[in-house]
Structures are given as C-alpha cells and as structure tokens.
Amino acid sequence: MEARRVSPRRRRRPYKPRTSFQFFTFPAATNVLAAALATHKYLAATALLVVGTVAAIVLGYVVPWLILLSRKTGSVLADVDGTWFLWSVAIHSGAIGAAILEHHATSGKDVLAVVAVISWSMGIVLYLCTAVLVMMRLITLPVGPRDIGPPYWILMGLSALVVVAGTHIVGMDSTPIVDDIRGLVSGLLVMFWGIAAWLLPVMVAVGIWRHGMCRVPLTYTPALWSIVFPLGMFAASSMALGDTDRVPLTTWIGRELMWAAVAVWAATYLAMAWSGVKRLRAIRG
C-alpha cells in the first residue's frame, strides 16, 4: 500500500522547552492582579486567585512532562535557562495573593493561610531545584556571551520575591499553620535578601562582559523586561524587610534602588516604542 502523505500543515510542530516556561507568566500576572484588587474587589480578587493558583498547578504538571517527552536524545540541560525560574515566580505570586486576601477575609482564613504557606514553601523548593539545574548547565556545557541573556536576572528577582512573599506571611493573622512557621520564615527572609543583594552586582558584571567586552549588540527584545522585574522586586523586598525586621539600612537601599528600577523601566519602554516605530517604517517601505 502506498504510504499516506502527511500534509505540512498537519505535521506536529516540535515542542520548544526554551519557551515553555514563559506560560507561567499567566498565573503570576493573575495572582498579582488578585493581590492588587484584594482591598476593594474582594470577590473578584478571590476568583482571580483561584484561576491563577489552578493555572500554576496545571502548568506545573504539564510543562515538565512535555519537556521530558520532547527529549528523544541528549540531556535536557541544554534547554535550561533563566526562564525556568518563572515556575517558582508563579508559585510565589500565589503565596502573596493568598496572604493579602487573608487580611480582608471574613471567613476561610485558615484555607488562605494554608495556600500561602504551602505556596511559599513549594516555591523555595522549586527555586533551589532550578538553581541546581542552571548551575549544572553553566558548568557542564559550553556557554558563550549570547547564552547568558536577560532572563538570568529572574534568579535575582526571584530571591527578592521570596522575601516579599515571606513578609506578607509573617504579617498574617494568627492561625495554627502561620504560628508554626512564622519564626522560620522571618529568619529565611534575611538569607534570601542577602542572596538577592549578592546577585545584583554579579548580573551587572555579566551584562558588562556580554555587551562591553564580547560586543553583543544591545538591541531591544522582549527579554529585556526580565531586567526590570528583578530591580523593582529587589527594591520592594528591601523596603518590606526593613519594615518587617526594622532594619533602616535595607529600607534606605530599597528607596534609592527604586529610582534605578524606574529609570530602567523607562529606558526599556522607550526602546520598545522605538523598535515598534522602526518596524512600522519598514512595513510602509
């Protein structure tokens, strides 16, 4: 029998592990929006938190499984990059949303406390596992200046995000699970803030090496927004840690760094706008 020809449109497209973890930006954004609406739109915030949490859970099972299935030969380490930290970012965003909603809840405080604590704890586990994979990737495989791009800044931002989520948990109302973990969380906040502070000059040095010494062109790509998030999150975590543990130095660092984060945001936004203008000119000919 003659073999059936498969139409090019019906051929299964290869799965791309390098872009798969970007789907975790959806639950992260949804949970952040839930936290922002918690004060005035509690029901809408609750619905968004449910959607974001369910999406993070589903993606947490589906994405790693698809990555494993997509690897016919070779190691998955070749596809590991900074975007993999978005998995932990999505989980921590759920902890922040649940902790903020708990302050405004009239019922179900115990449930929100459990969601916040478990999300924060699981987020740290994913943080550590991903950090190990990234380190193995950098050590065992060849790495060039084009391989270490802006998404690696997410590691620094995630360290700061752990602090922000933890401060919200420390400030939650008294429930059995929060009371049991409050002391541990408070101690870990300082450690993760220190990690973020240590990583900041490292990432700046990597950028100088990449663009200054290796001459990789600094042009606009959506990945540049991966630098804006960590800077803003580190500033927010510094101020949050200063308020929670009464450390004036971190509060001052956060306030000063916030101006740098705003400047980087403005520069990235202008670069995006100019890139759009150039594309329109190219289309019009």
Side-chain angles (χ1 to χ4, degrees):
M1 293 181 65
E2 186 178 349
R4 271 177 108 184
R5 293 183 179 179
V6 180
S7 173
R9 294 183 179 179
R10 294 184 180 179
R11 288 177 184 172
R12 201 163 103 185
R13 296 180 180 178
Y15 187 68
K16 297 181 179 179
R18 285 185 177 273
T19 61
S20 57
F21 280 90
Q22 296 177 13
F23 288 105
F24 283 99
T25 56
F26 170 75
T30 304
N31 290 329
V32 169
L33 183 58
L37 296 176
T39 304
H40 304 291
K41 302 289 184 180
Y42 179 78
L43 292 179
T46 303
L48 287 171
L49 179 63
V50 171
V51 172
T53 302
V54 171
I57 293 173
V58 171
L59 288 172
Y61 285 107
V62 172
V63 169
W65 180 248
L66 289 177
I67 289 176
L68 292 176
L69 290 179
S70 68
R71 301 301 300 179
K72 303 301 182 182
T73 59
S75 171
V76 75
L77 286 179
D79 295 313
V80 176
D81 63 7
T83 61
W84 287 42
F85 289 107
L86 290 173
W87 188 2
S88 182
V89 169
I91 301 299
H92 273 100
S93 68
I96 294 176
I100 293 178
L101 278 174
E102 192 263 353
H103 292 300
H104 306 281
T106 56
S107 60
K109 287 181 174 289
D110 289 341
V111 175
L112 290 170
V114 170
V115 172
V117 171
I118 291 180
S119 297
W120 186 81
S121 304
M122 193 62 206
I124 290 179
V125 173
L126 293 175
Y127 169 102
L128 297 175
C129 292
T130 308
V132 170
L133 289 175
V134 169
M135 186 60 65
M136 291 176 62
R137 160 76 173 91
L138 297 177
I139 292 175
T140 60
L141 298 176
V143 177
R146 295 183 180 274
D147 296 322
I148 306 181
Y152 282 91
W153 279 77
I154 299 175
L155 173 58
M156 191 271 283
L158 178 55
S159 303
L161 184 60
V162 173
V163 177
V164 173
T167 56
H168 284 295
I169 292 175
V170 171
M172 292 175 70
D173 296 336
S174 178
T175 59
I177 192 171
V178 172
D179 293 340
D180 289 341
I181 202 173
R182 200 188 304 271
L184 175 62
V185 174
S186 183
L188 289 176
L189 295 183
V190 180
M191 184 185 75
F192 277 98
W193 184 86
I195 294 173
W198 181 82
L199 286 171
L200 178 57
V202 172
M203 297 312 303
V204 172
V206 169
I208 294 174
W209 167 73
R210 171 181 163 92
H211 300 290
M213 300 175 64
C214 297
R215 304 297 182 182
V216 175
L218 182 58
T219 57
Y220 173 77
T221 63
L224 286 178
W225 290 102
S226 301
I227 302 177
V228 179
F229 154 72
L231 288 174
M233 189 56 63
F234 182 60
S237 69
S238 299
M239 292 185 286
L241 181 64
D243 294 338
T244 301
D245 289 357
R246 299 179 181 179
V247 184
L249 177 61
T250 62
T251 302
W252 177 82
I253 292 174
R255 289 174 179 173
E256 296 301 320
L257 189 61
M258 185 61 72
W259 292 107
V262 171
V264 172
W265 175 88
T268 306
Y269 184 84
L270 292 174
M272 179 184 68
W274 179 242
S275 176
V277 170
K278 290 194 296 184
R279 288 188 179 183
L280 287 176
R281 289 179 176 178
I283 292 174
R284 292 177 180 178

